[in-house]
Amino acid sequence: MRPELDAIDRAVALLQSGELVAFPTETVYGLGADAANPAAVARIFTAKGRPADHPLIVHLPADSYLERWARDIPAVAWELAEAFWPGPLTLILKRAAAVPGAVTGGQDSVGLRVPAHPLALDLLRAYARAGGGLAGMCGVAAPSANRFGRISPTEAAHVRDELGDAVKLILDGGRCPVGIESTILDLTRGSVMPPRLLRPGRITREQIATVIGVLPEIADRQPGDRTPRVSGSLAAHYAPSTPLRLVPPGRLAEVIARLGQAGHRCAVLCHSQLPDQDASPELRRLPGDPRGYASGLYAALRELDQAATDLIVVEEIPATPAWAAVADRLRRAACGAGRGTDLPG
Ligand code: TXA
Ligand code: MG
């Protein structure tokens, strides 16, 4: 599903003139603006309702553009770019002098990635050919195209639901295959300290270790610490409006039955076969492997949220490294969901 070339041309023209364009990446849809243009970047924060000190990821057409955006680039960054770009890995590097503070939340670092979705690459390359925005920097800043704190969009229709007319053009590339946001790796700590994983994603710590020979540390944020801010690291993030509770597989049927008896309408998200499906009309089953599950997770949560039940019951997933990124998103969804409502059951 590729829109005609003139959609790309229109998108490039909008970016060049400081407007917003939503586009698909392999992870989730992004809300893009010229990353070198502070006024354009400000529009992103307004459209999302996001605090202005949260840094954005800058999307590049190829790793050959890295030096425009980063300085003191360590060898491991090039090795990781070679191994995983285009792809769902964001590298946090020291920012180059030309990078505006608007895009980094005023920090001395910048998040960079080359996305793998063919439409995203078409857009970024066409943008570069057309001059690449202010100062010819060729970077498109793009957070996930949702309102702040909400579920990231994995289809063009989700973007329209989230942002309405605030975005002039949405490039429709169908469903995002990865389905959860990129892995974020902080490489700003120098060569003595191991890199730090700020957000788990499709590219796992173990995969990173096979390239750089050391397992990234998992960021353990303390209040007031000076690690770079990651809005995806807030406890409550990626959240539906309906309260959400994780339940161990063995207790799922019993919990659903009990909630039903107590008069609560609940929706169910599972990955194994349930003994009695009639108990819950609003049921989505996702694949039992972490990649398949991640790919369908946000669309399923969105649908179940719209069913307007009292509670979304989610079957717990295995506690293994392969499921780390999915577990992270479910934990945050459970924490942020249905704030202000009483949790039944
Ligand atoms: O998969 C993705 O990464 C998607 C697609 C559109 O590329 N983008 C995305 O963007 O998830 P966003 O803004 O929703 O999440 C990016 C995260 C934020 O939590 C932000 O704080 C963090 O990246 N980030 C960006 N620059 C950073 C920096 N210099 N230091 C630390 N964290 C940074
Ligand atoms: Mg986001």
Side-chain angles (χ1 to χ4, degrees), residues 105-274:
Q107 304 185 61
D108 193 36
S109 60
V110 61
L112 299 164
R113 88 177 185 99
V114 178
H117 195 291
L119 251 185
L121 282 175
D122 283 351
L123 174 66
L124 289 164
R125 289 170 184 158
Y127 182 58
R129 281 195 304 273
L134 286 192
M137 291 281 281
C138 303
V140 173
S144 52
N146 51 279
R147 305 267 315 155
F148 181 63
R150 313 286 313 160
I151 304 169
S152 297
T154 52
E155 295 174 25
H158 300 164
V159 181
R160 190 56 78 196
D161 290 349
E162 286 284 323
L163 300 174
D165 296 335
V167 48
K168 289 238 163 92
L169 176 65
I170 303 172
L171 294 178
D172 189 346
R175 236 188 206 208
C176 303
V178 173
I180 54 171
E181 305 79 358
S182 62
T183 305
I184 302 183
L185 189 69
D186 178 7
L187 294 178
T188 61
R189 303 201 301 164
S191 55
V192 180
M193 310 276 273
R196 185 155 40 188
L197 189 81
L198 299 183
R199 180 172 72 183
R202 160 73 76 89
I203 300 198
T204 63
R205 289 166 74 214
E206 292 74 17
Q207 280 177 286
I208 291 168
T210 62
V211 174
I212 63 173
V214 37
L215 198 60
E217 272 176 14
I218 297 175
D220 184 18
R221 280 171 57 80
Q222 305 298 328
D225 76 10
R226 295 183 58 244
T227 54
R229 286 174 294 260
V230 184
S231 61
S233 72
L234 298 176
H237 213 73
Y238 316 116
S241 334
T242 314
L244 183 151
R245 174 175 297 179
L246 297 168
V247 173
R251 291 200 49 220
L252 201 55
E254 168 214 324
V255 168
I256 294 166
R258 196 162 46 77
L259 286 165
Q261 280 153 18
H264 294 302
R265 289 187 62 236
C266 66
V268 178
L269 181 62
C270 66
H271 53 87
S272 54
Q273 191 73 36
L274 292 187

Side-chain angles (χ1 to χ4, degrees), residues 226-341:
R226 295 183 58 244
T227 54
R229 286 174 294 260
V230 184
S231 61
S233 72
L234 298 176
H237 213 73
Y238 316 116
S241 334
T242 314
L244 183 151
R245 174 175 297 179
L246 297 168
V247 173
R251 291 200 49 220
L252 201 55
E254 168 214 324
V255 168
I256 294 166
R258 196 162 46 77
L259 286 165
Q261 280 153 18
H264 294 302
R265 289 187 62 236
C266 66
V268 178
L269 181 62
C270 66
H271 53 87
S272 54
Q273 191 73 36
L274 292 187
D276 176 14
Q277 295 183 11
D278 298 343
S280 54
E282 296 299 341
L283 176 123
R284 295 288 178 284
R285 180 179 302 106
L286 291 170
D289 66 286
R291 290 183 169 205
Y293 190 104
S295 172
L297 175 62
Y298 287 157
L301 280 180
R302 217 167 251 279
E303 282 169 29
L304 294 177
D305 199 20
Q306 277 160 8
T309 59
D310 302 322
L311 180 67
I312 301 173
V313 176
V314 180
E315 178 183 12
E316 271 178 9
I317 43 122
T320 58
W323 285 89
V326 167
D328 169 78
R329 302 313 190 277
L330 286 177
R331 222 176 13 249
R332 294 179 204 289
C335 182
R339 271 186 282 181
T341 26

